Structures are given as structure tokens and as C-alpha cells.
């Protein structure tokens, strides 16, 4: 498997190095033949070749079997004419990574905030309130006058249908429940279309129970009773916000794994940002990206029908579970280890 690894900014290089030590160990133990190629993105890309993500890197990503993207700065990249684009947006859009799968589950080993739970958010990743990706040309965000700004939200039948299908297919392999999260009481046309399409797809999965919850009420329901949820399907911005909450409820944003998947490509990416407040301190929790890497291996195994990849993914998840239980982890989840040592602990458990 040829992996393109892009370390990014802030805590990116630290959590990526820890993830690579785990992936290399998994490759040795399960005979995965991982071939790892690294390239600079974010600030490193700007210094190296004047682009936060050079077009050649997007082409490399297209040819690779999978991408691992560390978090990158976003606020600081403002002017595309100076090579400053959001690398995550560029890869999601160019590789058509329409499904952002964000699991959140609790682990034994540190105090539970809302009891045990295990859920997955299937977030639409290519349109919605993300003005930088929902237009064919130009931006969906416009400064009409210096005092008037407009942002356009695009919702299509096509994109709603494919994320709904991904959610229902996932639910079939789990507890067979899908919750549609929306704001159709206010956004009657756009979220109305989203619900309508999700319910059409639901009819093709009669074994899966379906309900829907308004996004603001969802914030209360998921804190009060996260056990109620299995797979949650939602549009881009709601999914982004909700998944930070579910990650933190599970213990820490540092556990927030995610896979961006399309029909032919996938990219492992932690759901959190570049955490500049803890960058360079060997303090960031690398488990978010390690678990994202495991999701990428499993995706590749399913796609190519090679069981060793799914076995490796399951072994990484088990090693993470054991490390957390034994407090071989970073401070955010009750351990005393640094980023590097947490990666080494997971790799050692994988070898055992
Ligand atoms: P950005 O500007 O890149 O979005 P941010 O700091 O605004 O960065 P996040 O990176 O998502 O947003 O961080 C939010 C909070 O969660 C910060 O306090 C950060 O330190 C913490 N955090 C994020 N990721 C981790 C991690 N892997 N381990 C520990 N804490 C984390």
C-alpha cells in the first residue's frame, strides 16, 4: 500500500510521527508492505515551494492508495493568489472525498462524562455551508458592501443521496439505527431536501430504524443520552460542530479520529485542528490520528479484499484500547506520557 503522508502544522508533525511508528509496526506484523512517501503542506509547503499544497502533491495523492493528513493551520491561509489554500479542502474536493466518517466511543480507563457510548457521525464533506467548496467557480462567500456579507449554502440531491447511502451501509454493520440531524424547521428548502433524500434511501434499508432530530436539540440529546445514537447522518457544518462535541464527550478531542472517503480515494485525518497552544511540547494526544490511520487501513482492506489490512486495523484499535486502560497515554485522557511515548506504547502493544 502506497501512503502519502502530509504532516501539516502545529501538533501535526508530532502526531504524524507517532502515527507512522504505529503504521510501520502494523506493516511489519501483518505484512502490509506499506510504502510511505512524505511531502510538505501548510507552512512547510509555503516555505518549500510557495504553496500550502502544491498541485503536484494533489496529483501524488490521486495516485497513492491512501493519504494521511496531519492538521494544518487554516486561519492564517487567506490569499489563494499567494499559494495559501486550505490543504484539507483541496484534497477533499479534488479527490471527491464526500463522506467524513467520525466515530466517537468511550474507553475504560478514565472517568466517563455521560456513560459508555459508541456512535459514528457520517458528515457530508463536499458542499453545505462550506463556501470554499460549494461553487464551480468563484467563492460562495461574498462581501456585497463593506457592511454586508453573504454566504451561500448548497445542498444537492446527489451529495445528500451518497452520504445517506454511506450512513445506512455503515448502520447495517452496527446497531442498525440512523439519526438524521438537520434544521428543517428553519431551513425548510435545503434541509427539507436533505431529509427527503435520506428518507428515500432509508426505504432501501428496511432493517435499519431511522429517526430525525433538529440540530440544536441534538446538542442536548447527545449530552443527555449518547447511548441512544448509533449512526448520525448530517450536513457538513452541523457534522463538524457535533463531532467535536461527541469527541470531547468520549474523553478528549485528542481521540477524534476520522476518515474522509470517496469512491476511489480515502484520507485519514484527525477531526481536531492544529492545536497551536500545545504544539512543540510533546503533549498532544496522537491517538486521534493513529485511529484514523487504522480506519484507512480497514478501508483499503475492504476495497481490495485483503483481510490483513482489516486485521491490522482491528489490532491497532485493540492496542489503543489497552494503552488507554493502562494509562499509557497523554494527560488529556489521564496518562503521563508524551506524544512520542504514547505512539511507542501503542506500537509495543501491537508487537506483543
Ligand atoms: P486550529 O486553529 O488549527 O483549528 P484550535 O486550537 O483552534 O486550532 P483545535 O486544534 O481543534 O482548535 O483545538 C481545540 C482544543 O483542543 C485546544 O485546546 C487544543 O489544545 C485541544 N486539542 C486539540 N487536539 C488535541 C490533541 N490531539 N491532544 C490534546 N489536546 C488537543
Amino acid at each position: 500500500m502506497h501512503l502519502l503522508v502530509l504532516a501539516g502544522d502545529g501538533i501535526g508533525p508530532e502526531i504524524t510521527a507517532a502515527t507512522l511508528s504505529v503504521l510501520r509496526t502494523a506493516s511489519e506484523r501483518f505484512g502490509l508492505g506499506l510504502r510511505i512517501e512524505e511531502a510538505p503542506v501548510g507552512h512547510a509547503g509555503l516555505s518549500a515551494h510557495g504553496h500550502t499544497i502544491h498541485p503536484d502533491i494533489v496529483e501524488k495523492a490521486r495516485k497513492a492508495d491512501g493519504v494521511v493528513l496531519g492538521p494544518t493551520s487554516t486561519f492564517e491561509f487567506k490569499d489563494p493568489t499567494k499559494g495559501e489554500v486550505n490543504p484539507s479542502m483541496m484534497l477533499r474536493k479534488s479527490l471527491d472525498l464526500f463522506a467524513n466518517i467520525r466515530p466517537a466511543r468511550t474507553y475504560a480507563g478514565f472517568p466517563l462524562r455521560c456513560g459508555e457510548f459508541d456512535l459514528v457521525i457520517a458528515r457530508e464533506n463536499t458542499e453545505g455551508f462550506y463556501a470554499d467548496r460549494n461553487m464551480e467557480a468563484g467563492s460562495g462567500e461574498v462581501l456585497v458592501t463593506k457592511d454586508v456579507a453573504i454566504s451561500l449554502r448548497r445542498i444537492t440531491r446527489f451529495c445528500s443521496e451518497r452520504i445517506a447511502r454511506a450512513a445506512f451501509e455503515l448502520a447495517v454493520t452496527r446497531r442498525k439505527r440512523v439519526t438524521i440531524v438537520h434544521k428543517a424547521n428553519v431551513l425548510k428548502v435545503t434541509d427539507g431536501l436533505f431529509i427527503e433524500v435520506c428518507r428515500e434511501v432509508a426505504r432501501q434499508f428496511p432493517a435499519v430504524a431511522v429517526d430525525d432530530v433538529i440540530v440544536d436539540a441534538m446538542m442536548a440529546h447527545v449530552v443527555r443520552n449518547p447511548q441512544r445514537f448509533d449512526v448520525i447522518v448530517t450536513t457538513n457544518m452541523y457534522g463538524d460542530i457535533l463531532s467535536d462535541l461527541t469527541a470531547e464527550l468520549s474523553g478528549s478531542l485528542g481521540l477524534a479520529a476520522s476518515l474522509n472517503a470517496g469512491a476511489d480515494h480515502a484520507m485519514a485525518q484527525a477531526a481536531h485542528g492544529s492545536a497551536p497552544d500545545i504544539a512543540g511540547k510533546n503533549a498532544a494526544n496522537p491517538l486521534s490520528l493513529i485511529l484514523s490511520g487504522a480506519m484507512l487501513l480497514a478501508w483499503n482492506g475492504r476495497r481490495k479484499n485483503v483481510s490483513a489490512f482489516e486485521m491490522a486495523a482491528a489490532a491497532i484499535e485493540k492496542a489503543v484500547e489497552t494503552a488507554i486502560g493502562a494509562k499509557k497515554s497523554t494527560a488529556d485522557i489521564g496518562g503521563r506520557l508524551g506524544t512520542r511515548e504514547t505512539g511507542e506504547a501503542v506500537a509495543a502493544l501491537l508487537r506483543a
Side-chain angles (χ1 to χ4, degrees):
M1 181 182 190
H2 172 204
L3 270 189
L4 180 67
V5 177
L6 312 167
D9 299 309
I11 61 171
E14 297 162 81
I15 65 170
T16 303
T19 301
L20 285 186
S21 86
V22 171
L23 292 178
R24 286 196 172 104
T25 305
S27 181
E28 280 161 27
R29 182 170 156 205
F30 291 91
L32 307 181
L34 282 192
R35 187 162 60 82
I36 289 163
E37 180 186 8
E38 298 189 57
V41 296
H43 286 292
L46 268 184
S47 330
H49 41 56
H51 293 264
T52 51
I53 180 158
H54 194 281
D56 289 352
I57 296 178
V58 177
E59 282 321 298
K60 279 181 197 283
R62 207 184 292 287
K63 289 188 188 123
D65 296 306
V67 178
V68 175
L69 176 65
T72 60
S73 303
T74 44
F75 264 125
E76 291 157 21
F77 303 145
K78 295 194 166 73
D79 188 350
T81 64
K82 294 184 181 149
E84 297 172 359
V85 297
N86 174 353
S88 166
M89 174 279 291
M90 184 54 84
L91 287 164
R92 289 176 184 182
K93 203 168 159 175
S94 306
L95 305 183
D96 201 20
L97 305 175
F98 64 85
N100 188 202
I101 306 299
R102 296 186 159 189
R105 54 156 289 197
T106 48
Y107 293 87
F110 52 91
L112 300 174
R113 296 196 161 123
C114 306
E116 286 177 25
F117 70 88
D118 179 351
L119 58 81
V120 184
I121 295 172
R123 164 196 178 200
E124 204 292 321
N125 220 9
T126 48
E127 57 176 13
F129 246 135
Y130 277 68
D132 58 356
R133 66 204 65 175
N134 65 16
M135 307 287 279
E136 179 66 30
S139 170
E141 227 183 358
V142 192
L143 195 61
V144 181
T145 72
K146 71 179 175 40
D147 299 317
V148 179
I150 294 177
S151 187
L152 293 175
R153 174 173 186 254
R154 187 187 78 182
I155 298 291
T156 60
R157 183 172 290 280
F158 176 72
C159 292
S160 304
E161 205 269 343
R162 61 185 184 170
I163 191 61
R165 187 165 299 284
F168 279 91
E169 284 171 355
L170 188 58
V172 167
T173 68
R174 294 175 45 94
R175 301 196 307 278
K176 300 183 177 51
R177 169 169 289 280
V178 170
T179 302
I180 307 162
V181 170
H182 61 89
K183 186 78 184 172
N185 53 331
V186 174
L187 298 166
K188 292 185 168 59
V189 178
T190 45
D191 276 356
L193 176 62
F194 184 72
I195 295 191
E196 179 191 315
V197 175
C198 287
R199 290 213 173 261
E200 273 169 27
V201 172
R203 284 199 275 283
Q204 297 160 36
F205 293 84
V208 179
V210 58
D211 63 353
D212 68 86
V213 178
I214 294 174
V215 64
D216 45 342
M218 184 67 182
M219 300 297 146
H221 286 300
V222 85
V223 171
R224 191 183 300 156
N225 186 14
Q227 298 73 21
R228 167 180 163 188
F229 302 104
D230 178 20
V231 177
I232 296 162
V233 63
T234 191
T235 54
N236 204 339
M237 184 76 85
Y238 306 153
D240 190 25
I241 296 167
L242 179 60
S243 59
D244 267 29
L245 176 61
T246 53
E248 195 61 29
L249 291 179
S250 81
S252 167
L253 206 44
L255 292 172
S258 94
L259 187 74
N260 300 271
D264 302 313
H265 304 279
M267 176 168 82
Q269 185 183 15
H272 56 71
S274 64
D277 53 338
I278 55 169
K281 297 181 176 159
N282 194 34
N285 189 342
L287 297 180
S288 52
L289 196 59
I290 290 172
L291 289 166
S292 308
M295 292 175 78
L296 181 59
L297 296 185
W299 175 86
N300 187 59
R302 284 192 300 274
R303 184 157 175 263
K304 298 197 178 134
N305 209 10
V306 182
S307 60
F309 284 93
E310 289 184 81
M311 285 160 64
I316 293 173
E317 282 163 20
K318 184 81 199 138
V320 165
E321 200 173 329
T322 308
I324 293 174
K327 299 228 178 299
K328 292 178 177 173
S329 61
T330 44
D332 56 314
I333 51 170
R336 288 164 182 256
L337 299 186
T339 309
R340 193 172 41 250
E341 294 75 17
T342 301
E344 283 163 7
V346 174
L349 285 161
L350 255 188
R351 266 185 230 108

